Amino acid sequence: MTPGAAPAAGARGTRSAGARSAGGAVARGLRRRARLPLRADAGTVLAAARGVDLARGGVQVLHDVSVEVRAGEVRALIGPNGAGKSSLLGVLTGDLEPTRGTVEAAGAPLAAWSTTELALRRAVMTQDVTLSFPFLVHEVVAMGRAPWRGTAAADDDDAVVAASMAATDVTHLAGRAFPTLSGGERARVALARVLAQRAQLLMLDEPTAALDLHHQEMVLALARDHARAGGAVVVVVHDVGLAAAYADRVTIVADGRVAGDGTPEEILTAARLSAVYEHPVEVLPHPRGGAPIILPRR
Amino acid sequence: MTAPAPVLPARRRRGVVLLCGLVVALLAAATLSAVSGQTPVTAAEVLGAVLHRLGIDAGPLPAHPQGEATLWVARFPRIVLGLLVGAALGCAGALMQGVFGNPLAEPGVIGISSGAAVGACLVIVLPGSVLGATGSLAVAGAAFVGGLVTTAVVYALARANGRTEVVTLVLTGVAVNAFAAGVLAFLVYVADPSAREQIVFWQLGSLNGATWRSVGIVAPMVVAGLVGSWLLARRLDLLSLGERAARHVGLDVERLRQVAIVLVALLTSAGVAFTGIIAFVGLVVPHVVRMVAGPGHRVLLPASALGGALVLVVADLVARTAVAHAELPLGMLTSLVGGPFFFWLLRRTRASQGGWA
């Protein structure tokens, strides 16, 4: 039996998880073997922030924010510049320590997991993708396999790397040095690395920012497919239209607070978007299918 | 499925060729160094002398009456110490660059060598310090402590938001080197004449005065440092993603950092304790290796160690044979070559980063 099958413990599992975290530091010091992830069923909460406040540089950027990401869904975080979307994602990944509130990953507090255990459960794509040394593209993608080292899954490394590169359309770049790539190519290589991690939860911070129209659609289609296959995705996007088309749930972050949480049809209303972005916005149903089309009034 | 296949072996093959080539070149350079000098000895006699010591009666013994003694008392310990110190400096450079995520990091440039030198000189100057039985061990130990403190200080000062900017790093090095130079000047000032001479000579960097005793002290430090670094190789690869992303793929960054700092200090102090400050080996060698075999640390670290050893043995050969009946300081030679190289690298880095980022 795999110990620490945390997702099944759910939110009520915090007590045992807390006990584990007390001994966590010691256990990590002794380099205990990483607990391998069990695949959580659709609907299970894979990441959650509850009542989170966050201060950065003396400025409070998040106020009492709560968000959940469930297996089987794509959750988009949208909102104006500086609203706190990336900060919220940083809190969920554990990069930023909230001043108040709790953060969970795979059903247990973040502190209950070692860095390797977290990496087996969630993969993160950050906004700025840089590399200190000129590794080749396929070497960079293979770095996503690092957490699986020493496990049975490591046997599939080559196949997973090849599949991840194919999925993000970077196979032809495999032998190029990463620093020689354009911004859009780098972003796709970074995404390939994230996919190669084969984590159930993907956390993507503006993965489409540097991409052309075709690759934007490709990335969000990948996210949707990942969710359809039982995974979960939380993605920060600027393009409300993309969020409307691909997300199952949308969280609108404005001024460090949650200004809306629901399905795109429920919350992407002209009134709410106009207020949040401080710009008049029209929302029209698509003539075929009725999906919302978001148009800033020009 | 097919595309990555042809790329991977290309770099890997070049790495293997590089490692093999370095080993061969190293053996050749060591032999050349052993036969060079005032007492004539041939390569066959060198081989014979080594084999006889190993209990194998093969090959000729040195014909010159002083040949055997010259090899075992003067040349061999000097060559072996050169190999060890070069390997330590080359590997320390590659390791530092990996940890700082910056190709300009190097123990000499950043002042870690100076820090270790301050530690060593303190012991040399201490009244009653007899560089006899325990003296040389104390020098090595003090160099290690000095190096460890300096590495930790530089690391803390030069980093901001999980990154080390080039300009911060270089300026931190300037400050640390200046401070260390001040302490060293003070130590020279207060030292008695014999210790003063020792320090000045030592600051120039030289393999002169190498003994089996110093080899015996440096060897375990270098071996531990090299093995320890190699065990970190894969993790150092991940660290080039940046600290945050490295953590996201499961790397315990803090732990890696602590271990690496101790290893850098260990290797640098091994490279400084008996030979003084020999700068730039750790800068030039890893850079050349990266150009040939790529930045992967599993090849970079051992190749930098071998390359550093090769550079130092060759440089020492030049130092003691270039001018008849005189010996050039080794540190002077490496600085004359390494200084301009550093400048070139600095300009290139600036160009590629679009300013003094």
Side-chain angles (χ1 to χ4, degrees), chain B residues 30-341:
Chain B
T31 310
L32 185 61
S33 184
V35 302
S36 306
Q38 286 176 12
T39 312
V41 183
T42 67
E45 287 168 351
V46 169
L47 185 65
V50 173
L51 289 177
H52 276 276
R53 270 298 159 106
L54 296 171
I56 304 165
D57 280 325
L61 280 171
H64 193 277
Q66 296 299 317
E68 179 94 9
T70 306
L71 285 182
W72 286 101
V73 176
R75 291 189 195 161
F76 284 169
R78 183 171 184 143
I79 292 167
V80 174
L81 189 65
L83 292 177
L84 290 170
V85 167
L89 293 174
C91 185
L95 182 60
M96 281 200 75
Q97 287 149 25
V99 174
F100 279 87
N102 189 320
L104 292 174
E106 201 261 347
V109 172
I110 291 179
I112 293 167
S113 297
S114 309
V118 167
C121 284
L122 269 175
V123 173
I124 295 176
V125 168
L126 275 183
S129 154
V130 192
L131 282 173
T134 55
S136 42
L137 202 59
V139 170
F144 174 65
V145 173
L148 190 61
V149 170
T150 319
T151 318
V153 167
V154 169
Y155 197 91
L157 292 181
R159 290 187 80 75
N161 301 322
R163 287 193 60 202
T164 313
E165 309 290 358
V166 174
V167 78
T168 322
L169 186 70
V170 173
L171 290 180
T172 308
V174 170
V176 171
N177 271 323
F179 181 77
V183 176
L184 284 174
F186 174 76
L187 290 176
V188 170
Y189 178 75
V190 299
D192 59 61
S194 78
R196 184 175 299 168
E197 199 175 304
Q198 206 178 342
I199 294 176
V200 170
F201 169 74
W202 187 90
Q203 272 182 299
L204 293 170
S206 172
L207 288 170
N208 198 357
T211 60
W212 287 116
R213 156 164 282 281
S214 50
V215 168
I217 294 172
V218 169
M221 293 169 79
V222 174
V223 169
L226 294 182
V227 172
S229 317
W230 202 74
L231 292 176
L232 299 182
R234 280 174 185 278
R235 277 166 252 185
L236 288 168
D237 285 353
L238 295 182
L239 196 58
S240 65
L241 290 170
E243 282 190 18
R244 263 174 71 196
R247 216 172 273 129
H248 293 154
V249 294
L251 185 71
D252 190 341
V253 175
E254 280 70 28
R255 193 192 170 89
L256 172 66
R257 189 186 296 165
Q258 289 157 5
V259 175
I261 284 177
V262 172
L263 288 172
V264 164
L266 189 67
L267 287 166
T268 308
S269 50
V272 163
F274 298 105
T275 49
I277 298 169
I278 300 168
F280 296 112
V281 174
L283 186 80
V284 179
V285 172
H287 193 81
V288 174
V289 172
R290 258 187 228 106
M291 290 201 292
V292 176
H297 287 84
R298 268 162 293 165
V299 171
L300 177 66
L301 289 169
S304 295
L306 288 171
L310 177 65
V311 165
L312 220 65
V313 168
V314 171
D316 184 51
L317 182 61
V318 172
R320 65 192 183 86
T321 57
V323 182
H325 305 297
E327 191 176 317
L328 299 171
L330 186 55
M332 181 201 83
L333 275 183
T334 58
S335 291
L336 282 179
V337 177
F341 181 85

Side-chain angles (χ1 to χ4, degrees), chain A residues 8-9 34 58 76 113 155-156 196 222 250 253 255 260 263 280 286:
Chain A
W113 304 111
D155 296 342
D156 309 331
L222 274 175
V250 176
V253 185
D255 232 355
T263 66
H286 194 280

Side-chain angles (χ1 to χ4, degrees), chain A residues 244 268-270 273 281-287 289-297:
Chain A
L268 297 181
T269 60
L273 291 174
V281 172
E282 279 184 285
V283 179
L284 311 166
H286 194 280
I293 300 173
I294 287 91
L295 276 179
R297 200 165 283 164

Side-chain angles (χ1 to χ4, degrees), chain A residues 94-143:
Chain A
D95 292 337
L96 301 174
E97 186 89 25
T99 40
R100 202 175 62 84
T102 57
V103 185
E104 288 173 18
L110 277 181
W113 304 111
S114 71
T115 49
T116 302
E117 287 168 341
L118 274 179
L120 292 169
R121 286 161 177 81
R122 60 108 177 93
V124 184
M125 179 175 167
T126 49
Q127 255 183 57
D128 49 334
V129 184
T130 58
L131 205 63
S132 313
F133 296 105
F135 282 93
L136 304 182
V137 164
H138 73 88
E139 292 174 320
V140 175
V141 177
M143 288 178 189

